[in-house]
Amino acid sequence: MEENMKLATVEDTVEYRLFLIPDEPRDPEKHKEILQKYIERIMTQFAPMLVPYIWQNQPFNLKYKPGKGGVPAHLFGATKFGDNIEDEWFIVYIVKQITKEFPQLVARIEDNDGEFLLIEAADFLPKWLDPDNSANRVFFYHGELCIIPAPKKPGAASWSSTTPPTIPQALNIISTHSQEILASESVRAAVNRRIRGYPEKIQASLHRAHCFLPAGIAAVLKQRPRLVAAGVQAFYLRDPIDLRSCRVFKTFLPETRIMTSVAFTKCLYAQLMQQRFVPDRRSGYQLPPPSHPQYRAHELGMKLAHGFEILCSRCSPHSSDSKKSHVTASPLWAGFLDSLKKNHYFKGLIEGSVQYQERLEMAKNYFQLSVNRPESSFAMSPGEEILTLLQTLPFDIEELKKEEANLPPEDDDRWLDLSPDQLDQLLQEAAGKKEPEPPISKKEENYDLTQVSKSMKAFISKVSTHKGAELPREPSEAPITFDADSFLNYFDKILGPRPPESDSDDLDEDDFECLDSDEELDFETQEPGEEASVKGALNDLKSYMAQMDQELAHTSIGKSFTTRKQMESTRKNSDEEDNGAGGSVLTPVDVDLNLVSNILESYSSQAGLAGPASNLLQSMGVRLPEDTDHRPESEPMGD
């Protein structure tokens, strides 16, 4: 019996698996050799994107995983993305491209929330798909998102099943019915919209800023730019024990500080900027007054220095010696380096030049973390890596100081301050709208309020269950059925026995107002006497409702509704009261007007903030004008 693959249980962690198809029975060692060859091909193919990328916590990685419990051998990777959700979606892009570049590979990807790709496309999923039956149905194949369907009717498709398939079954279905399992265009568009812009988006996610840092940190970051993430995380997640090591700095002395340029991700930069921190006086890190033109560079450097000091304080200076690994000794390194050269990783740089050596060191580090990844017990911690670099990396403080005059300009950080209009634009883009809707002028008087009424009617007419209510998107395709006996029995229980005689069999159109206007009664399929019974029941129902209206007309409940006659009286600006025949003739309630008035009153009470009225209408595609006066008077709805 197949062992179900467990979802990623570690918080903020994404897991990805690559299977080989067709997965024909073959020698296990031969299968392992083929999959390991794919690791080398994949990592070298995507090295130009993956090597310089700054990960929040862990990089993209792949390793061979043998078959177990019915799950065939495959390539497996797990990445903890932490607070930077963009790391997860970048991995989605990488996995999608892998299946496009290597057609024999099928990919599955999930995180601790489960099928997060389905969550992203939740508004467009078929109704049958839910968390209970989605296991082993969602894959990437040939660069496209695929969903293995469940049959709508028994026997509709012999290869599909109402129960979740096993991994071998899913792989067999994908290899033989690739066109039938392609996800709908709307579902694929929702996922593609989330990863749109890569790989160019990588540069847009970076923020370069000037930092007044100890020379040792500047030299380390020049060699290993990715270590900035570990330094920021150490400062961001510091505790009182960590701060003890920063009372007096032992590794990164403040008198060695220089001005340098540091590349952060926007997430890391925001984490560093948003925290207020006053250094210990004994540390030697004193900040200039806030009015100083380089105050921000001093503050950023002080915070980052604390993070690096904390990392180094967590390990012994000699603990890294036993964990040193020679990358070039690995049998995979020669082939990996040759593949890098073929993929133009070095961009024509002269071998042995400073720029060539920098890219070579980055490639070695990338190879160690992603290709030749050691077991966790032998992995080098960021602090040990920093101490090792400080011991082996020669740097001249005076040379670094000379570079201060030629630093690249800082990036503008106004993106930290999000205006309401920018927030609306982001929300609209997340909802699938390419461009924000233009704001509606306060002077615009032609806003059609009938759209509010129509949308609400469409919403109410939809089916709702214990799982929630459906938003109106497409008209219901379910046929309308009518059972006369059930209809009569239902009202007999509520209203009591019907009178034996019926006043008339001739009914006006208004007699059917109690039914949905979109529904039709199929009297042709009823017995001859049933049609008269139904009409009699409707007459009785109308009589009961008329008596109820009479009783409620003069109560506070009845007076709270706006009637059509009141509406006509308002339009004519008449102060006369129409007493009628002693008030015996009731004026029908204007349902549309009352609905719109109540919604506008609720919208006004939100005082320009988010609330139930605006959220409900926006979910149905209705956008009201901005409530600039907070409590505007609702205008009457036209005929």
Side-chain angles (χ1 to χ4, degrees), residues 162-232:
T162 54
T163 58
T166 63
I167 290 295
Q169 289 173 342
L171 296 178
N172 182 59
I173 291 172
I174 292 171
S175 62
T176 56
H177 300 86
S178 58
Q179 293 301 319
E180 290 90 337
I181 65 173
L182 195 64
S184 67
E185 185 177 353
S186 56
V187 172
R188 285 180 286 146
V191 175
N192 290 336
R193 184 165 52 247
R194 191 63 179 80
I195 59 177
R196 182 177 55 198
Y198 285 110
E200 294 79 9
K201 193 176 179 181
I202 296 175
Q203 290 300 318
S205 67
L206 297 178
H207 182 89
R208 293 166 182 83
H210 291 172
C211 296
F212 196 51
L213 280 172
I217 298 178
V220 168
L221 290 180
K222 196 172 183 180
Q223 191 79 15
R224 304 279 171 84
R226 63 171 183 83
L227 286 175
V228 68
V232 172

Side-chain angles (χ1 to χ4, degrees), residues 93-112:
Y93 169 78
I94 292 294
V95 170
K96 183 177 184 291
Q97 292 300 114
I98 289 173
T99 62
K100 184 178 180 180
E101 296 292 332
F102 304 97
Q104 287 188 313
L105 293 178
V106 177
R108 250 181 81 62
I109 184 167
E110 53 199 344
D111 63 11
N112 50 285

Side-chain angles (χ1 to χ4, degrees), residues 314-324 380-381 384 387:
R314 293 174 179 172
C315 56
S316 169
H318 304 288
S319 62
S320 59
D321 295 338
S322 61
K323 297 183 180 180
K324 288 182 181 179
M380 189 179 293
S381 69
E384 294 167 347
L387 291 174

Side-chain angles (χ1 to χ4, degrees), residues 547-565:
Q547 294 178 22
M548 188 183 299
D549 289 341
Q550 289 282 359
E551 295 180 6
L552 294 177
H554 303 291
T555 65
S556 58
I557 297 177
K559 293 177 181 179
S560 66
F561 294 103
T562 303
T563 64
R564 294 176 184 174
K565 181 171 290 187

